[in-house]
């Protein structure tokens, strides 16, 4: 019997996958904006604040991330740091392809399509934030460990034990992203299913399922006990502290579970997919369509030689089994967030949905195979090509719109920084009340105090200034009006916790002088794409005009209180 499980990955497929990732995410490489949690991390890297970095990750109980971040201080290049996120996305897609192809449940062509859609589904749209490269890297390591776990089934002797030990070590590092402890159940189930297929065992009733699964677990007791051992190790040795004491604690009431489950369906699946078909920027989607047609032409050309064998494999009746496994993996990827009261929300909180694209891609492949098995019309290559082009165009266009929005925000923030740099006398105040009247897309409009405080530190030096945005006025419980000294908070412990080196406000004096910082635009009409590509044009093609472009983009005024 031909053993598809040992088929080697095709070089042409790896090349196509690389092109697909670059095709989807190229704009992320040119984004130099500092957003959200990057606003805390970037200054600490620039000033080599090792203690601040260690304290931050220690308080959240994720010490391993400290050792991931420290070497990045020597990069000294924001473009390099941003690219690390896309490297993580690429390896997630690559390892998804390798796992699918090695499992034997997908044809070569299906494995490649699965990997393409794993990085293409417009769900976790936070790839311009360097801090989240930590999560993508942990996820990639998890898939790598699962691939090694699967590979040891065909190894014997010293290599078997070396790879086994290495897989366990990689899992241990990846589990720092604790949601992967639950996704591990899906990886374990995949290896079990491959073991059944490889050994030719059949499970006909519950008793056989219990006996075969028990023997599988006993023979791999180290992998079986691994998540329990890791959880005990983390709880005993790495306690959370400060405001993170109850971070990600279980919230098991029915209302919270129902609400967050609903949000995963609405915000994690329906919203991003529906937004892909709504409010198109015609130029972005036209460009995405042209690129998609060229890519699919290459895809068809590369796969034309083994198309007949692929059709035979893909017409098997395993579609519903694949759908079932995809839904199980989707449950494993969402349940850990639901149980701690979290769910995705448009903007940076879409990071909570980062484990969804791969399971959804598996479900999509299963649906396509199940429908095609029952319909002779869908077995035509033309139908598959047309659907592939359409989905590639729509989802790529959505990614490009998201990147354009983040790039427009970066252009705005750099224009604001230019004003601050040109007015060093504005640095004399302690508290800045932000009045941001600059129109931004809801996806990228959220600002925190650290977004501005970090600018103050990097442009003016010192950690003596605090910025209050409307959202964080509520978060900090500020109950005094602008201009009243000292600034008073109903939650002084929050002020004390966040006024540290990580937030660039370690030496803040809330009794000091205050000012209002107002940000407006000089643009009569606002369009993310035109702002984004206008900035990129002056940044890389005509740099002499960049300063004038930024001066015309935003206007910043300061009023002492």
């Amino acid at each position: 019997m031909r053993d598809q499980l040992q088929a080697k990955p095709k070089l042409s497929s790896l090349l196509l996958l690389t092109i697909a990732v670059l095709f989807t995410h190229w704009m992320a490489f040119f984004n130099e904006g500092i957003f959200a949690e990057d606003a805390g991390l970037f200054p600490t890297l620039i000033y080599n604040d090792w203690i601040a970095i260690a304290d931050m990750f220690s308080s959240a109980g994720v010490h391993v991330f400290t050792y991931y971040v420290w070497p990045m201080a020597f990069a000294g290049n924001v473009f390099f740091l941003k690219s690390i996120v896309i490297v993580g996305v690429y390896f997630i897609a690559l390892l998804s392809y390798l796992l699918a192809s090695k499992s034997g449940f997908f044809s070569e062509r299906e494995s490649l399509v699965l990997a393409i859609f794993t990085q293409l589904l417009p769900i976790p749209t936070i790839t311009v934030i360097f801090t989240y490269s930590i999560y993508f890297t942990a996820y990639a390591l998890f898939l790598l460990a699962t691939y090694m776990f699967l590979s040891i089934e065909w190894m014997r002797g010293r290599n078997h034990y070396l790879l086994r030990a290495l897989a366990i070590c990689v899992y241990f590092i990846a589990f720092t992203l604790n949601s992967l402890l639950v996704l591990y159940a899906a990886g374990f189930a995949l290896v079990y299913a491959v073991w059944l297929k490889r050994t030719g065992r059949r499970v006909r009733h519950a008793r056989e399922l219990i006996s075969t699964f028990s023997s599988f677990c006993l023979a791999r007791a180290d992998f079986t006990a691994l998540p329990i051992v890791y959880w005990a190790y983390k709880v005993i040795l790495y306690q959370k502290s400060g405001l993170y004491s109850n971070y990600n604690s279980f919230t098991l009431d029915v209302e919270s579970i129902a609400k967050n489950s609903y949000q995963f369906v609405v915000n994690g699946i329906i919203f991003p997919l529906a937004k892909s078909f709504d409010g198109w920027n015609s130029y972005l989607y036209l460009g995405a369509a042209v690129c998609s047609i060229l890519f699919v032409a290459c895809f068809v050309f590369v796969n034309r030689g083994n198309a007949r064998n692929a059709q035979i494999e893909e017409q098997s009746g395993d579609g519903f089994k694949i759908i079932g496994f995809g839904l199980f993996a989707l449950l494993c990827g969402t349940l850990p967030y639901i149980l701690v009261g979290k769910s995705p929300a448009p903007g940076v909180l879409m990071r909570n949905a980062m484990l969804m694209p791969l399971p959804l891609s598996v479900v999509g492949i299963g649906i396509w195979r199940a429908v095609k098995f029952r319909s002779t019309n869908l077995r035509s290559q033309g139908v598959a090509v047309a659907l592939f082009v359409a989905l590639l165009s729509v989802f790529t266009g959505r990614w490009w719109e998201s990147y354009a929005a983040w790039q427009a925000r970066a252009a705005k923030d750099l224009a604001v920084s230019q004003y601050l740099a040109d007015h060093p006398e504005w640095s004399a105040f302690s508290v800045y009340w932000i009045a941001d009247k600059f129109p931004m897309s809801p996806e990228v409009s959220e600002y925190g105090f650290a977004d501005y405080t970090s600018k103050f530190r990097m442009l003016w030096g010192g950690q003596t200034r605090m910025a209050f945005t409307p959202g964080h006025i509520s978060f900090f419980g500020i109950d005094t009006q602008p201009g009243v000294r000292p600034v008073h908070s109903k939650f002084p412990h929050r002020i004390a916790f966040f006024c540290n080196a990580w937030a660039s406000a370690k030496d803040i004096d809330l009794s000091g002088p205050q000012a209002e910082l107002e940000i407006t635009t000089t643009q009569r009409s606002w369009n993310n794409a035109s702002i984004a590509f206008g900035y990129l044009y002056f940044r890389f093609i005509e740099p002499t005009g960049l300063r004038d472009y930024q001066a015309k983009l935003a206007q910043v005024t300061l009023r002492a209180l």
Side-chain angles (χ1 to χ4, degrees):
M1 181 178 70
R2 184 176 67 89
D3 194 354
Q4 182 188 347
L5 302 175
Q6 299 186 51
K8 294 182 179 180
K10 292 176 58 178
L11 183 60
S12 58
S13 294
L14 297 177
L15 179 60
L16 279 173
L17 183 56
T18 304
I19 293 171
V21 174
L22 295 175
F23 165 45
T24 305
H25 302 286
W26 66 271
M27 215 182 299
F29 288 98
F30 301 104
N31 192 300
E32 54 186 318
I34 299 177
F35 315 117
E37 280 140 47
D38 280 358
L41 182 57
F42 269 48
T44 58
L45 290 176
I46 291 172
Y47 290 99
N48 296 334
D49 268 348
W50 311 119
I51 295 177
I53 294 173
D55 286 347
M56 178 61 185
F57 288 120
S58 297
S59 66
V62 287
H63 297 67
V64 172
F65 288 162
T66 304
Y67 305 106
Y68 170 86
V69 169
W70 275 351
M72 305 304 171
F74 300 101
N77 188 307
V78 67
F79 296 110
F80 173 77
L81 293 174
K82 295 280 186 175
S83 69
I84 292 175
V85 190
I86 305 306
V87 170
V89 172
Y90 172 70
F91 277 104
I92 289 169
L94 175 63
L95 289 161
S96 300
Y97 162 73
L98 295 175
L99 273 170
S101 116
K102 195 171 187 66
S103 71
F105 295 112
F106 302 89
S107 70
E108 163 68 23
R109 188 165 63 181
E110 285 176 333
S111 300
L112 179 55
V113 171
L114 172 70
I116 290 172
F117 279 98
T118 293
Q119 60 84 36
L120 180 65
L121 289 178
I123 296 177
T125 51
I126 39 81
T127 50
V128 293
I129 298 177
F130 163 68
T131 306
Y132 298 149
S133 69
I134 296 169
Y135 306 143
F136 285 107
T137 300
Y139 188 19
L141 288 174
F142 172 84
L143 294 176
L144 174 62
T146 304
Y147 183 75
M148 291 190 288
F149 185 13
L150 192 61
S151 299
I152 64 177
E153 296 296 323
W154 291 272
M155 301 181 70
R156 295 291 181 270
R158 179 183 301 174
N159 290 339
H160 169 93
Y161 292 105
L162 286 175
L163 191 61
R164 190 170 188 143
L166 182 59
I168 290 174
C169 291
V170 175
Y171 268 132
F172 225 74
I173 297 172
F175 285 155
T176 306
L177 179 59
N178 291 165
S179 55
L180 295 175
L181 286 164
V182 182
L183 189 63
Y184 181 75
F188 197 85
L190 174 64
V191 179
Y192 169 66
V194 171
W195 175 73
L196 288 177
K197 182 175 182 179
R198 177 174 173 268
T199 56
R201 301 196 182 192
R202 293 175 178 250
V203 177
R204 290 163 292 191
H205 47 74
R207 182 175 296 177
E208 285 188 353
L209 175 63
I210 293 172
S211 63
T212 56
F213 188 68
S214 297
S215 62
F216 176 81
C217 291
L218 287 173
R220 298 155 186 81
D222 45 357
F223 286 100
T224 304
L226 180 60
I228 300 173
V229 171
Y230 176 85
W231 187 256
Y233 155 83
K234 176 179 171 59
V235 169
I236 294 171
L237 295 181
Y238 296 111
Q239 297 290 329
K240 290 176 285 189
S241 61
L243 287 184
Y244 286 94
S245 296
N246 296 315
Y247 187 66
N248 284 345
S249 296
F250 290 112
T251 307
L252 302 180
D253 61 276
V254 175
E255 182 181 355
S256 174
I257 292 174
K259 175 187 174 183
N260 287 287
S261 299
Y262 173 79
Q263 293 293 349
F264 260 103
V265 174
V266 173
N267 289 337
I269 301 176
I270 296 176
F271 167 77
L273 299 184
K275 194 168 179 60
S276 300
F277 295 90
D278 178 53
W280 290 5
N281 181 293
S282 56
Y283 293 105
L284 287 176
Y285 275 86
L286 178 61
V290 171
C291 293
S292 297
I293 292 170
L294 293 174
F295 178 81
V296 174
C298 295
F299 181 93
V300 173
F301 176 79
V302 167
N303 286 277
R304 74 189 191 285
N306 61 347
R308 181 173 298 177
N309 290 334
Q311 287 283 356
I312 295 172
E313 292 168 353
E314 294 168 14
Q315 288 172 15
S316 65
D318 292 334
F320 287 105
K321 293 180 181 178
I322 293 174
I323 293 172
F325 175 76
L327 291 175
F328 175 66
L330 184 62
L331 177 65
C332 292
T334 57
L335 188 62
Y337 296 94
I338 293 171
L339 293 181
V340 298
K342 294 187 181 298
S343 55
V348 296
L349 289 181
M350 286 301 290
R351 68 179 183 269
N352 294 332
M354 65 170 293
L355 301 183
M356 295 180 70
L358 175 54
L360 285 174
S361 299
V362 172
V363 171
I365 294 292
I367 291 173
W368 174 254
R369 186 185 284 193
V371 173
K372 188 171 65 171
F373 179 69
R374 287 161 176 76
S375 173
T376 55
N377 293 331
L378 293 180
R379 295 176 190 176
S380 166
Q381 182 175 340
V383 175
V385 168
L387 181 62
F388 194 21
V389 169
L391 291 178
L392 205 64
S393 301
V394 168
F395 293 153
T396 301
R398 172 61 193 133
W399 270 109
W400 287 7
E401 280 201 320
S402 176
Y403 279 128
W406 285 105
Q407 188 65 63
R409 170 172 164 151
K412 169 224 173 174
D413 291 347
L414 291 168
V416 171
S417 296
Q418 179 174 297
Y419 266 92
L420 299 179
D422 289 345
H423 294 84
E425 69 277 9
W426 290 359
S427 66
F429 299 91
S430 295
V431 175
Y432 298 79
W433 302 86
I434 307 299
D436 193 344
K437 301 176 183 178
F438 199 97
M440 294 295 298
S441 302
E443 180 180 358
V444 299
S445 61
E446 181 183 349
Y447 280 86
F449 71 97
D451 289 282
Y452 293 99
T453 305
S454 63
K455 291 180 187 296
F456 300 155
R457 182 184 182 188
M458 288 187 286
L459 292 170
W460 295 330
Q463 300 184 67
T464 60
R465 305 170 191 90
M466 187 70 173
F468 289 117
T469 61
H472 274 82
I473 289 173
S474 174
F475 175 77
F476 284 125
I478 304 300
D479 54 7
T480 52
Q481 294 299 313
V484 176
R485 303 189 207 175
V487 175
H488 183 264
S489 168
K490 292 182 290 186
F491 309 122
H493 61 288
R494 290 186 180 178
I495 291 281
F497 182 84
F498 282 104
C499 287
N500 56 16
W502 183 267
S504 298
K506 182 177 64 174
D507 303 316
I508 183 65
D509 177 12
L510 294 178
S511 300
Q514 302 181 21
E516 180 186 70
L517 199 67
E518 184 180 59
I519 304 167
T520 57
T521 181
T522 58
Q523 301 274 330
R524 291 187 177 180
S525 61
W526 175 260
N527 180 281
N528 286 329
S530 63
I531 297 297
F533 288 104
Y535 171 78
L536 290 176
Y537 172 81
F538 286 107
R539 176 68 176 83
F540 295 103
I541 298 176
E542 193 179 335
T544 56
L546 179 61
R547 184 178 180 83
D548 290 338
Y549 175 78
Q550 289 181 326
K552 294 176 182 178
L553 180 62
Q555 184 172 341
V556 182
T557 56
L558 182 136
R559 183 172 64 90
L561 299 177

